[in-house]
Amino acid sequence: MGREHWKKIWVGSAGNMVEWFDWFVYASFATYFAGAFFPDGNETAKLMNTAGIFAVGFFMRPVGGWLLGRVGDRKGRKSALTLTVTLMSASAVLIAVAPTYSVAGYGGAAVLLIARLLQGLSVGGEYAASATYLTEASAPGRRGLASSFQYVSMTVGQILGLGLQIVLQRTMSDDALHSWGWRIPFIIGALGAAVVFYLRRNMLETEVYEEDDEATPAGERGTIKALLAHKREAVLVIALTMGGTVAYYTYTTYLTKYLSNSAGLSKQTATLVSFFALIVFACLQPLAGALSDRVGRRPLLITFALGSTFLTVPIMTLLQHAGSFWPAFGLSLLALVVITGYTSINACVKAELFPTGVRALGVALPYAIANALFGGTAEYVALWFKDAGVESGYYWYVAGCAGVSLVVYLTMRETRDIDLKSVGRASPVATSAPKAPSAT
């Protein structure tokens, strides 16, 4: 890819990184501020309360997907990406200044809830705008590689959050972290969002969008009516997202809490396991994305679904009895290697299904619905099973979701060689063998 392509990918990814830093910081620091907004009680119950508010943010994602997807298709990918980071910055500020239960009763939890609603709006549009931008901005034959940087940036955002947590754990007392230290990452997130806002104000629009903008009437862009003309593709996005999003949130946002709350590892050790496993995971994304440009998207998706369906139960069971850093790290890394088959390419696969005039909305709304139903509730469902005394039931739930997606991957058409400018002229759902790699 040329210098101009890499510049677009860098700007799009940098913003995505800050967005997901703020999003994941909530999850990674929840063990420290869970008691700040709710009265004393069972520790698992406190985590369920904060996980419930975490899930609420996901239920705003369909609204954000519709609103910002519409903006992305009507006003451009640049406009949508700038708006998402503005909303995320506002939500980070609210969490940073939210009053505790001892000061304002449940008023602090209400502020936390409002902040999560704003984050849900922001991320609901960020995923699709970023996926669409990275896919359209890439060189022909390199869409898998380019779009893989979406999960690189998402993971780097989480790594930065976990890295900050490690630093704070080693430089502050446990009491200080529970009292006020957990506010620090949200302040940093708000400052980072301000920097990205400036970068996105000066980013370049994609050529694919600019060319289509002149050909497609404004009234037909980014509307629900236009999306309904591609409802089969929309249902496909929901189905292919189902297994991937449950597995991803299980082994990223929930993993640290699982290792400390169920496997008995200290918070510091659990954080280190997630931190180093995610570093390797981030490095794997471009490699898998580039591989998909050669062999196709379906082989990677099928590999993920098979692995997640048949390995989730044994991996989670062994993790519960890991006992120390290295066994926990090895098992966590194995799980992340498996889900790389989904995370590295799911952005471009979804973008490749829709025509330009409805691409942002087509990716945003169905994906956000799937995340609200499965990704956002994953942590809460896991804690519900634990509280009910049947924690292993959650392992089978994750495997079952992956099994449903496996059926979809086996029956969907290969999308690697689709021309983004002519999408929509043929049905994207029909079994077909991958084509030979395009010459580049």
Side-chain angles (χ1 to χ4, degrees):
M1 289 188 288
R3 181 178 179 182
E4 199 62 40
H5 287 110
W6 283 114
K7 181 179 179 181
K8 290 179 179 179
I9 291 170
W10 155 244
V11 175
S13 298
N16 200 40
M17 177 185 67
V18 175
E19 289 265 1
W20 288 93
F21 170 85
D22 287 340
W23 181 262
F24 284 119
V25 151
Y26 180 98
S28 61
F29 277 84
T31 54
Y32 290 103
F33 66 75
F37 298 102
F38 302 99
D40 292 335
N42 180 273
E43 287 300 316
T44 299
K46 290 181 182 179
L47 286 174
M48 287 182 70
N49 285 330
T50 53
I53 293 179
F54 182 77
V56 165
F58 277 85
F59 285 101
M60 284 302 291
R61 288 174 69 161
V63 179
W66 166 74
L67 176 64
L68 295 168
R70 182 180 175 87
V71 171
D73 286 327
R74 284 179 169 260
K75 303 297 182 181
R77 318 312 188 200
K78 173 183 173 179
S79 296
L81 287 168
T82 303
L83 182 55
T84 61
V85 78
T86 303
L87 292 172
M88 185 60 77
S89 179
S91 65
V93 171
L94 282 177
I95 297 176
V97 301
T100 62
Y101 180 83
S102 62
V103 173
Y106 285 105
V111 173
L112 191 66
L113 178 61
I114 293 172
R116 288 297 296 175
L117 293 177
L118 288 177
Q119 283 190 337
L121 282 173
S122 174
V123 177
E126 170 67 25
Y127 175 87
S130 176
T132 302
Y133 186 86
L134 290 174
T135 301
E136 292 181 349
S138 63
R142 291 289 182 267
R143 294 198 298 258
L145 171 62
S147 64
S148 71
F149 282 90
Q150 182 179 50
Y151 269 81
V152 172
S153 58
M154 288 171 61
T155 306
V156 169
Q158 186 176 5
I159 289 171
L160 291 176
L162 287 171
L164 179 60
Q165 186 174 17
I166 292 171
V167 171
L168 294 179
Q169 285 173 341
R170 294 180 180 277
T171 58
M172 299 179 66
S173 67
D174 196 61
D175 288 341
L177 273 173
H178 281 84
S179 177
W180 60 271
W182 59 265
R183 298 182 187 271
I184 295 175
F186 296 103
I187 296 173
I188 293 174
L191 294 175
V195 174
V196 171
F197 176 82
Y198 172 77
L199 291 175
R200 286 187 166 178
R201 284 292 299 270
N202 295 281
M203 72 193 301
L204 300 174
E205 188 57 82
T206 68
E207 293 179 5
V208 174
Y209 178 83
E210 289 180 333
E211 291 179 12
D212 188 79
D213 190 39
E214 299 174 356
T216 304
E220 299 179 11
R221 304 182 66 85
T223 64
I224 295 295
K225 181 180 179 180
L227 179 59
L228 289 176
H230 303 277
K231 53 181 175 291
R232 194 179 185 188
E233 291 85 350
V235 172
L236 178 59
V237 169
I238 294 175
L240 69 86
T241 299
M242 178 181 177
T245 191
V246 171
Y248 178 73
Y249 282 99
T250 296
Y251 294 117
T252 56
T253 59
Y254 178 62
L255 180 64
T256 304
K257 284 187 283 294
Y258 177 75
L259 291 176
S260 62
N261 202 32
S262 296
L265 272 66
S266 67
K267 291 178 181 178
Q268 291 82 358
T269 301
T271 301
L272 285 173
V273 168
S274 294
F275 180 77
F276 288 110
L278 286 172
I279 289 177
V280 179
F281 177 66
C283 295
L284 291 174
Q285 304 309 299
L287 299 177
L291 179 62
S292 79
D293 287 326
R294 297 188 62 83
V295 305
R297 321 297 189 213
R298 291 178 67 245
L300 272 71
L301 290 171
I302 291 170
T303 299
F304 149 71
L306 285 171
S308 191
T309 300
F310 295 105
L311 294 179
T312 293
V313 174
I315 287 176
M316 294 294 285
T317 301
L318 290 171
L319 269 175
Q320 190 172 18
H321 303 285
S324 61
F325 174 86
W326 286 109
F329 173 75
L331 290 166
S332 300
L333 186 57
L334 174 60
L336 290 172
V337 169
V338 169
I339 67 172
T340 293
Y342 167 82
T343 56
S344 60
I345 59 172
N346 80 94
C348 66
V349 170
K350 294 163 189 170
E352 288 165 344
L353 293 173
F354 297 94
T356 304
V358 74
R359 183 168 292 131
L361 180 62
V363 175
L365 188 55
Y367 172 79
I369 290 172
N371 262 272
L373 295 175
F374 303 106
T377 59
E379 183 178 331
Y380 193 84
V381 171
L383 291 169
W384 182 86
F385 273 110
K386 177 178 175 58
D387 198 51
V390 285
E391 190 165 23
S392 61
Y394 179 70
Y395 314 160
W396 291 100
Y397 168 75
V398 177
C401 289
V404 172
S405 289
L406 174 60
V407 175
V408 177
Y409 302 152
L410 290 171
T411 56
M412 69 180 287
R413 176 190 168 186
E414 178 59 58
T415 63
R416 179 193 59 186
D417 296 313
I418 285 177
D419 182 358
L420 293 180
K421 298 179 182 178
S422 61
V423 176
R425 297 177 185 175
S427 172
V429 187
T431 303
S432 66
K435 297 181 182 179
S438 302
T440 55

